[in-house]
Amino acid sequence: MAAKYPLSEEELLCTVCCDIFRDPVVLLCSHSVCRTCLQQFWKTKGFRECPVCRRRSARSEPPCNLVLKNVCEAFLESRSQRSSAGSEGVCSLHNEKLKLFCLDDQQPVCLVCHLSKSHKNHNCCPIDEAVTDCKTKLQTALEPLQKNLKVLEEAKRDYDQTAAHIKTQTQHTERQIKQEFEKLHQFLRDEEAVRIAALKEEEEQKSQMMRRKIEEMNEEISSISNTIRNIEKEMEAGDIQFLQFYIFRVQHSPKHPEKTSGALINVAKHLSNLKFRVWEKMQEIIQYTPVTLDPNTAHPDLHLSDDLTAVEKRDQRSSVPDNPERFDEYSCVLGSEFFNSGKHCWDVQIGDSDYWTLGLIPESVTRKGNSFIDLLWGVSYSKSDDEYWTLFPGQSEQSFIPKEKLQRVRVQLDWDRGKLTFTDLLTNKHLHTIKHTFTERVLPLFSIVSVYPLKILPVKTSVTVKQHIFIINTQTDQQHHS
């Protein structure tokens, strides 16, 4: 091998690219350089010189160093063969089979390598043992990766489901928005038609009146015209005849026509505060509900009404994402807005529901599992036990018996004073009051295990105009009683 390759690998490196010579050329100074490297060097410099000794070169096309080229090509081919042999289980240095694995250097070696200075004091083991150990280690390392992959795939499925649900929510909500606005548009179209009809009716009435006045005036004009012609003839008659005619005309002189009041269209009646009057009338078709439900928190077994004011339990589970806000164990749903101050009140139609719960939970409570029950303020009913009871954090359940089965319940929250009161709305009888110092935002909670829905009732609204200020009042039945 030494006779075949008299030059070492370092001597086969080009001084410009520092790699094995490729198509080397020889200069007059006897230095060799890759042809491409030399051309690029000269182009950069702007003149021809040797990259090694900086001697000027007279030739623009130096001859090829054929001997060096052959040696380099043979060296590259030999290195490729040695690399190929090593990959096939044969030592590239000693041409022996790789039977051992050096644990210190983490590489396969042959028996000759094991006895050489490079690996003499290293720990080695048979190849098959090393393979077994490495596979065991890889398998151990593979298990958490497989678990992580499974978690990521499940998370991706959740993301895919969430993305699809977002699109479904958008389409459904868009349809509902269009339907609600169509109701408003139809109301406005109907109101417009009524008001235009009233204008046309007034126009017809007053036009008929003016037509009668004009006809009467035409008749009077015709009569006076005839009288004028007769007077002109009589003025040509004899004296006695003229005086007789004059006395008759003085006694029957025509009256002057009177001006007609209220003849014009009452524009103010039709246009005065038109938008406000229409909006005021619109209260008849518009309802206000103090609490609405948040569908993103609803358990998959629950179904919410389109206006988000009623909830019922159905046997067919909804295909909704398991997002963090959603209950996954108990059939619960939360209100869409939190409370952190002030007084609030909402009425709930219970009807024939078999099992229900009304109350509040802190906004920060997790909705997964059943841990939220320990932080719930409220009242519950179970038809199977025929029992009502109160729920309060840190205390055991307390039962109570109303005079009649509850059909409507009023929930009143005074956040600042720390009072949560429940009242039988039909009898106006107090049921229970929970006292607690609230320190964080709370959300209304509704739970139902029944096909009979819980429904949040709308409150009455009124519009009051006073001193150029109009006030919108929301009134409950209790406020009317008081």
Side-chain angles (χ1 to χ4, degrees), residues 89-297:
V90 178
C91 178
S92 60
L93 297 176
H94 306 104
N95 204 25
E96 296 286 340
K97 286 188 176 182
L98 300 171
K99 295 184 178 182
L100 301 175
F101 185 77
C102 178
L103 300 176
D104 295 343
D105 293 337
Q106 291 291 298
Q107 68 179 32
V109 295
C110 67
L111 294 175
V112 178
C113 291
H114 179 52
L115 298 175
S116 66
K117 292 180 179 180
S118 301
H119 302 278
K120 186 174 183 180
N121 297 322
H122 291 182
N123 293 322
C124 296
C125 69
I127 285 287
D128 55 348
E129 291 183 10
V131 170
T132 302
D133 292 343
C134 290
K135 286 184 177 180
T136 302
K137 292 179 181 179
L138 281 177
Q139 184 62 38
T140 303
L142 188 62
E143 290 177 0
L145 290 177
Q146 291 173 334
K147 291 180 180 178
N148 189 31
L149 177 62
K150 186 177 180 181
V151 170
L152 292 175
E153 289 176 343
E154 291 177 354
K156 182 180 180 299
R157 284 195 293 270
D158 291 340
Y159 289 159
D160 292 339
Q161 185 183 15
T162 301
H165 190 65
I166 289 172
K167 188 172 183 179
T168 302
Q169 276 187 311
T170 302
Q171 294 173 346
H172 180 67
T173 306
E174 182 181 353
R175 284 197 301 271
Q176 289 180 280
I177 291 174
K178 289 182 177 180
Q179 290 172 1
E180 292 302 315
F181 271 94
E182 177 56 31
K183 294 177 182 177
L184 296 176
H185 295 158
Q186 187 59 49
F187 171 85
L188 293 176
R189 286 193 292 267
D190 294 343
E191 187 66 19
E192 177 188 9
V194 168
R195 292 180 177 273
I196 291 178
L199 174 63
K200 295 294 185 182
E201 182 180 0
E202 183 181 358
E203 178 196 18
E204 180 62 25
Q205 291 174 354
K206 294 188 173 179
S207 296
Q208 286 182 0
M209 180 184 67
M210 294 310 298
R211 282 196 293 270
R212 288 196 301 271
K213 295 285 184 180
I214 292 171
E215 289 176 0
E216 293 173 358
M217 191 61 63
N218 287 334
E219 291 176 359
E220 187 68 21
I221 291 172
S222 178
S223 175
I224 292 175
S225 298
N226 292 332
T227 301
I228 291 172
R229 286 194 296 271
N230 292 333
I231 289 174
E232 290 174 345
K233 289 181 181 179
E234 293 294 335
M235 289 177 68
E236 298 175 357
D239 295 340
I240 300 300
Q241 188 177 359
F242 169 75
L243 289 175
Q244 292 175 348
F245 176 80
Y246 173 76
I247 294 171
F248 174 81
R249 287 300 175 189
V250 170
Q251 293 176 348
H252 296 84
S253 59
K255 297 180 180 180
H256 292 286
E258 298 179 355
K259 297 289 185 180
T260 304
S261 62
L264 300 180
I265 296 294
N266 190 349
V267 176
K269 170 186 172 182
H270 299 285
L271 294 182
S272 178
N273 293 312
L274 175 60
K275 295 177 183 177
F276 176 79
R277 297 305 177 193
V278 173
W279 174 66
E280 186 180 29
K281 188 175 180 181
M282 192 179 290
Q283 305 302 311
E284 300 173 4
I285 66 166
I286 293 177
Q287 292 184 338
Y288 173 75
T289 308
V291 172
T292 55
L293 305 175
D294 182 359
N296 293 335
T297 66

Side-chain angles (χ1 to χ4, degrees), residues 321-339:
D322 186 23
N323 49 298
E325 300 86 358
R326 192 179 305 280
F327 290 94
D328 64 347
E329 187 169 329
Y330 277 77
S331 299
C332 299
V333 61
L334 298 178
S336 59
E337 296 183 10
F338 61 82
F339 304 131

Side-chain angles (χ1 to χ4, degrees), residues 303-430:
H303 176 76
L304 274 58
S305 61
D306 288 341
D307 61 359
L308 305 179
T309 61
V311 56
E312 64 183 76
K313 187 177 185 297
R314 292 185 177 179
D315 295 333
Q316 186 176 1
R317 172 165 291 203
S318 303
S319 57
V320 293
D322 186 23
N323 49 298
E325 300 86 358
R326 192 179 305 280
F327 290 94
D328 64 347
E329 187 169 329
Y330 277 77
S331 299
C332 299
V333 61
L334 298 178
S336 59
E337 296 183 10
F338 61 82
F339 304 131
N340 62 353
S341 64
K343 296 180 180 180
H344 308 275
C345 176
W346 57 98
D347 300 335
V348 183
Q349 175 75 42
I350 295 170
D352 297 324
S353 299
D354 300 335
Y355 180 93
W356 53 264
T357 300
L358 302 177
L360 296 172
I361 64 168
E363 185 185 33
S364 60
V365 171
T366 179
R367 290 82 187 270
K368 306 304 180 185
N370 59 4
S371 60
F372 73 92
I373 297 178
D374 297 331
L375 297 171
L376 170 63
W377 304 279
V379 295
S380 287
Y381 170 74
S382 173
K383 183 177 181 180
S384 58
D385 300 328
D386 194 20
E387 186 177 16
Y388 298 87
W389 65 90
T390 62
L391 302 170
F392 188 83
Q395 295 184 8
S396 58
E397 299 174 352
Q398 299 179 4
S399 63
F400 66 94
I401 302 176
K403 292 185 178 181
E404 298 180 4
K405 182 180 178 181
L406 298 179
Q407 294 290 316
R408 293 185 179 185
V409 174
R410 169 166 291 150
V411 185
Q412 292 174 289
L413 169 65
D414 189 337
W415 195 95
D416 299 322
R417 294 186 178 182
K419 292 175 62 177
L420 181 63
T421 304
F422 298 89
T423 306
D424 183 350
L425 190 59
L426 295 184
T427 62
N428 204 26
K429 297 294 183 181
H430 173 263

